Amino acid sequence: MSNLPEIKVFAGENSRYIAESIASSLGLELGKKTFTRFSDGEFVTSFDETVRGEHVFIVQSTFPPSDNLMELLLMIDAAKRASAYKVIAVIPYFGFARQDRKDKPRVAIGAKLVANMLQAAGVDRVMTMDLHADQIQGFFDIPVDHLYGSTILIPYIKSLGLKDFAIASPDIGGAKRANSWAKYFDSGLIICHKTRIRANEVADMKVIGDVEGKNIIIVDDMIDTAGTICKAADMLVEAGAASVRAVATHAVLSGKAYENIENSKLTEVIFTDSIPQKQECSKIKVLPIAPMFADTIRNIYEHKSISDHFLM
């Protein structure tokens, strides 16, 4: 029996696999809900048990973003209208996070819009992991617990026992993240400088740093089509790297991503399970995040520190 009597955990339709593990780690049963989709695509969701006076944690990554985000908003609204004491959105993968600023005229700032919608729906707190841009936390006027995938990924890298390795960033934008990893491991830093002709398509790439004979770990927050990562890995091997691995928190993996990874010179790609795998790939290793989120939920409920999950 759980010692958290006032907590209930519910799952969005596409995040049940994580929510079940989180609830199990907390000693809870996953909350019961009904999801009904109409023939025109509209859907309705409802709770099948009372949430009055409860701390309600709704687990829903927003991939692909639109339907999952809408379901999350509906569940938040339903919980507030059912007199939940607190409603916390647990969003391991926060969709629209790449739209964090106006990088050209007449475009939306999608991440800010999502923050506004979540708050308008009535959410009291947001728990997420490895936002594409750290400043998105400032888009909210409520508490945001921004967990780091490195808490899960770094112990695995250590377990490999690699010698003479270096950390690499797949682009200039990820240099800050890669530099934090390099400082943590006291290792060299390599930057892959890329230029794009359009979204998801790399035109040119150059490698900056000492590559010869190194076991290289490319660090990123997400991998989408895997074009950048695979091109970087191939260039690093051609430049003399002994091996190349990639670590990323979110496995978006759209288009030909699985094929690109399988056919690349990458030794291994390590992800968390913030997004479920769509197919098998011999080079992909997936690490579970449910224990970290469950521990964070417990500490938030018990008003304890969660800083252990901010490894760097």
Side-chain angles (χ1 to χ4, degrees), residues 2 7 27 62 184 189 191 249 281 288:
S2 171
I7 285 183
T62 50
Y184 181 88
L189 178 64
I191 305 294
T249 302
C281 177

Side-chain angles (χ1 to χ4, degrees), residues 226 230 256-266 269 279-284:
C230 292
K256 296 182 177 180
Y258 288 94
E259 180 183 339
N260 290 340
I261 291 171
E262 195 69 64
N263 295 333
S264 73
K265 294 179 181 177
L266 284 161
V269 184
Q279 63 187 72
E280 294 294 321
C281 177
S282 65
K283 293 186 177 182
I284 291 178

Side-chain angles (χ1 to χ4, degrees), residues 14 17-18 63 223-224 226 248-254 257-259 261-262 269-288:
N14 284 351
Y17 70 103
I18 292 181
F63 62 86
I223 296 178
D224 190 349
T249 302
H250 307 299
V252 178
L253 300 184
S254 64
Y258 288 94
E259 180 183 339
I261 291 171
E262 195 69 64
V269 184
I270 304 103
F271 294 110
T272 73
D273 61 351
S274 64
I275 299 175
Q277 297 298 291
K278 304 178 189 72
Q279 63 187 72
E280 294 294 321
C281 177
S282 65
K283 293 186 177 182
I284 291 178
K285 170 75 174 179
V286 180
L287 305 176

Side-chain angles (χ1 to χ4, degrees), residues 10-20 30-37 43-46 58-61 63 67-68 71-72 75 276:
F10 292 89
E13 289 299 292
N14 284 351
S15 294
R16 180 173 292 271
Y17 70 103
I18 292 181
E20 286 176 342
L30 191 62
K32 296 179 176 61
K33 61 177 273 284
T34 297
F35 178 91
T36 305
R37 187 179 291 275
F43 53 83
V44 61
T45 185
S46 61
I58 302 172
V59 183
Q60 178 77 312
S61 282
F63 62 86
D67 273 11
N68 291 313
E71 184 190 5
L72 175 60
M75 291 178 72

Side-chain angles (χ1 to χ4, degrees), residues 35-113:
F35 178 91
T36 305
R37 187 179 291 275
F38 302 111
S39 61
D40 67 346
E42 181 182 338
F43 53 83
V44 61
T45 185
S46 61
F47 298 107
D48 296 336
E49 56 187 86
T50 183
V51 296
R52 186 179 298 274
E54 306 277 7
H55 290 74
V56 175
F57 290 83
I58 302 172
V59 183
Q60 178 77 312
S61 282
T62 50
F63 62 86
S66 301
D67 273 11
N68 291 313
L69 173 60
M70 191 64 200
E71 184 190 5
L72 175 60
L73 295 170
L74 290 172
M75 291 178 72
I76 292 168
D77 185 69
K80 296 297 286 189
R81 293 177 188 278
S83 300
Y85 174 62
K86 294 287 185 182
V87 180
I88 299 92
V90 181
I91 313 173
Y93 172 70
F94 188 98
F96 293 100
R98 284 176 279 190
Q99 300 179 46
D100 62 299
R101 66 197 185 284
K102 286 187 70 175
D103 56 355
K104 61 181 180 180
R106 298 176 295 281
V107 295
I109 303 178
K112 173 58 177 171
L113 178 60

Side-chain angles (χ1 to χ4, degrees), residues 136-193:
I136 291 172
Q137 298 171 74
F139 294 174
F140 291 88
D141 295 319
I142 55 174
V144 176
D145 301 303
H146 184 210
L147 307 184
Y148 292 174
S150 57
T151 307
I152 304 294
L153 299 166
I154 282 178
Y156 179 79
I157 296 300
K158 287 181 175 178
S159 74
L160 298 176
L162 297 174
K163 304 296 183 184
D164 196 21
F165 75 92
I167 301 297
S169 171
D171 52 35
I172 297 296
K176 180 182 176 182
R177 180 183 300 104
N179 188 50
S180 296
W181 279 64
K183 284 183 177 179
Y184 181 88
F185 283 109
D186 192 23
S187 68
L189 178 64
I190 297 165
I191 305 294
C192 300
H193 176 57

Side-chain angles (χ1 to χ4, degrees), residues 191-203:
I191 305 294
C192 300
H193 176 57
K194 68 183 178 184
T195 55
R196 292 188 185 275
I197 51 175
R198 60 182 66 89
N200 294 131
E201 189 171 337
V202 178

